[in-house]
Amino acid sequence: MGRRIDEPSRVRAVARYALAIILVTLALLISLALQHSFGNPFWFFFSVAVILSTWFGRTGPGWLSVVCSTLAVMYYFTPPVGSFAVTPSDLPYFVTFVSCEVGVAQLISWRRHTEDALRQARNELEVRVAERTVELKKANQALLKQMDEQRCTEETLQATRAELARAARITAIGELTASIAHEVNQPLAAVVANADACVAWLAREHPDLAEARAAAERATQGATRASDVIARIRSLITKAAPEKSRVQINRVMEQIAALAEGQAARNNVAIELELSPDSPIVLGDSIQLQQVILNLVMNGIDAMTSVTDQPRILTLRSESQDSRYIRVVVQDSGIGLTEEVKGRLFEPFFTTRSKGMGMGLSISRSIIEAHGGRLWAESNGSGGATFQLTLPSEDKMAA
């Protein structure tokens, strides 16, 4: 197998050396043919033979052409003709010829070697660039695929998180409704029964006022019991003391911004954070405070879904007030608040959204008030609404 591979190379080498001999022979024949017509010498053709032999045959054939040309000039053109001897008078001329031939051979050989090296370097560079381009294209495709997968995963996670939150709210409302129905059903049934009895005692031909009074008193007791049940459930929702811990409001707001980022992006809303670096620590239930701010953020995003004439920007800002209170501001560029809506905004079951339940702001205000703070809303001068809440700092609570 190695012998078959070497044979073409050996043939090409022989061909290059044969080309050098042929070129020198042609130069000799042309020089001899023109010698008598145009005078002596016509050594220019030997230089051409050396140049072509070196260029096409590389260094070895070039030096062979130099040697053959020197011998031809010595024998045919340098006195005494027909001999390889050189007379002293022609020696400088002969040495000049040989030096020129050697210089031409070296120059052409260097030029050819340089061009071959440049060509090889260019070919290697093109191969490397092509390989690197393919690698970069594959890496880019892999990165785009990973980004698509990550985006799909985040969207799925956000959707799942929203669905879980919705399911949790529905479950809580269902449990609360079932508890209220169960607790209030018995006293209301007693009220109805005693009221019917009272009517029956009074409807007799001779009304029994004592029994009617007793039935009315029992109905009053049943109604009072139902009122107490509702009051107890309401106190459980709005008056229960939250679990107190040290809360960094700035950290909570950063978490809310990250949590609401997907919903904001889907509605083309930009969330801007303006957090005061010296915001004080507050004591409170971090989960409840997080739910309050998240509810305000989601309301702000929903309020901007119909805005098309200005940028949709939701600003979350924290401000320190004499290190005794911290104020949290949620400002949107939505449709704003009318005076009628602003007056009823925190009423239970009041909502301006078709799918809203009207409990979020009411519960949020109850949570903030249970933490010793205040929650209110204002209209922006340039459109939109601003919800603000204040919370006492840890030092203020300790004092």
Side-chain angles (χ1 to χ4, degrees):
M1 180 65 69
R3 186 175 181 181
R4 292 181 181 178
I5 295 177
D6 292 338
E7 283 181 0
S9 300
R10 190 178 299 112
V11 171
R12 285 194 295 269
V14 172
R16 288 197 296 266
Y17 282 97
L19 176 63
I21 295 173
I22 293 173
L23 290 173
V24 173
T25 303
L26 289 175
L28 175 61
L29 294 176
I30 294 173
S31 298
L32 290 175
L34 298 177
Q35 180 179 13
H36 299 289
S37 301
F38 296 95
N40 185 48
F42 278 93
W43 296 346
F44 167 76
F45 298 103
F46 292 103
S47 298
V48 173
V50 171
I51 293 173
L52 295 177
S53 299
T54 306
W55 183 261
F56 292 104
R58 305 296 193 275
T59 303
W63 286 115
L64 177 61
S65 66
V66 171
V67 173
C68 294
S69 297
T70 301
L71 294 175
V73 169
M74 288 177 65
Y75 190 82
Y76 290 100
F77 299 100
T78 304
V81 177
S83 173
F84 290 105
V86 180
T87 61
S89 60
D90 292 327
L91 183 59
Y93 195 72
F94 178 74
V95 171
T96 302
F97 169 77
V98 174
S99 299
C100 290
E101 299 299 304
V102 171
V104 168
Q106 288 182 341
L107 179 62
I108 298 302
S109 178
W110 172 81
R111 176 67 180 274
R112 183 69 181 188
H113 177 73
T114 302
E115 289 193 359
D116 289 343
L118 289 175
R119 186 180 299 106
Q120 183 178 2
R122 185 179 66 242
N123 293 336
E124 292 178 354
L125 180 60
E126 290 178 354
V127 171
R128 292 181 180 178
V129 169
E131 293 176 351
R132 186 59 178 168
T133 301
V134 172
E135 293 177 357
L136 290 176
K137 185 179 295 184
K138 291 181 179 179
N140 186 43
Q141 292 176 353
L143 181 60
L144 291 176
K145 182 178 180 181
Q146 184 178 1
M147 292 175 62
D148 291 338
E149 293 177 352
Q150 185 177 1
R151 183 171 62 253
C152 292
T153 303
E154 290 178 355
E155 292 177 354
T156 303
L157 180 61
Q158 290 291 343
T160 303
R161 188 177 298 167
E163 189 64 26
L164 288 176
R166 177 175 175 274
R169 291 194 297 269
I170 293 176
T171 302
I173 293 174
E175 293 177 353
L176 178 61
T177 303
S179 176
I180 294 175
H182 179 268
E183 294 292 336
V184 177
N185 183 55
Q186 291 183 353
L188 289 181
V191 168
V192 172
N194 288 306
D196 289 340
C198 179
V199 171
W201 289 115
L202 293 176
R204 304 181 79 177
E205 184 178 355
H206 300 286
D208 192 335
L209 297 180
E211 291 293 341
R213 182 182 296 108
E217 290 177 352
R218 289 194 299 271
T220 302
Q221 292 175 357
T224 303
R225 181 186 173 192
S227 177
D228 292 338
V229 170
I230 295 175
R232 187 170 71 250
I233 295 176
R234 182 175 182 275
S235 65
L236 179 65
I237 298 174
T238 61
K239 299 299 183 180
E243 182 180 354
K244 298 293 181 66
S245 62
R246 302 178 79 249
V247 179
Q248 293 182 351
I249 292 297
N250 285 352
R251 177 59 178 164
V252 172
M253 296 175 71
E254 291 174 351
Q255 294 173 350
I256 293 301
L259 188 63
E261 185 177 4
Q263 182 70 13
R266 285 189 289 271
N267 290 276
N268 296 323
V269 175
I271 299 179
E272 296 182 353
L273 287 173
E274 298 178 3
L275 306 181
S276 175
D278 56 349
S279 297
I281 302 296
V282 301
L283 290 177
D285 189 327
S286 62
I287 302 299
Q288 290 186 358
L289 295 177
Q290 187 181 59
Q291 288 300 114
V292 170
I293 300 176
L294 178 60
N295 182 58
L296 298 179
V297 168
M298 290 301 182
N299 288 345
I301 293 175
D302 290 338
M304 291 184 285
T305 54
S306 60
V307 174
T308 57
D309 58 346
Q310 61 181 344
R312 301 177 182 180
I313 300 176
L314 184 71
T315 303
L316 299 181
R317 183 167 59 250
S318 65
E319 301 173 356
S320 176
Q321 297 181 331
D322 300 331
S323 300
R324 300 177 61 192
Y325 291 90
I326 182 173
R327 181 169 64 174
V328 176
V329 179
V330 180
Q331 183 176 356
D332 63 65
S333 57
I335 58 177
L337 300 173
T338 63
E339 291 298 324
E340 178 182 0
V341 170
K342 189 166 61 174
R344 302 185 56 192
L345 199 59
F346 295 93
E347 292 181 7
F349 304 108
F350 174 80
T351 180
T352 58
R353 295 182 298 174
S354 59
K355 297 182 179 181
M357 298 188 63
M359 292 297 295
L361 290 177
S362 176
I363 296 176
S364 296
R365 171 174 276 185
S366 300
I367 291 175
I368 296 302
E369 289 177 351
H371 283 75
R374 189 166 68 95
L375 173 63
W376 72 98
E378 296 177 352
S379 296
N380 298 339
S382 58
T386 300
F387 286 80
Q388 304 182 59
L389 63 90
T390 59
L391 292 169
S393 65
E394 180 182 18
D395 297 335
K396 172 67 177 177
M397 295 290 289

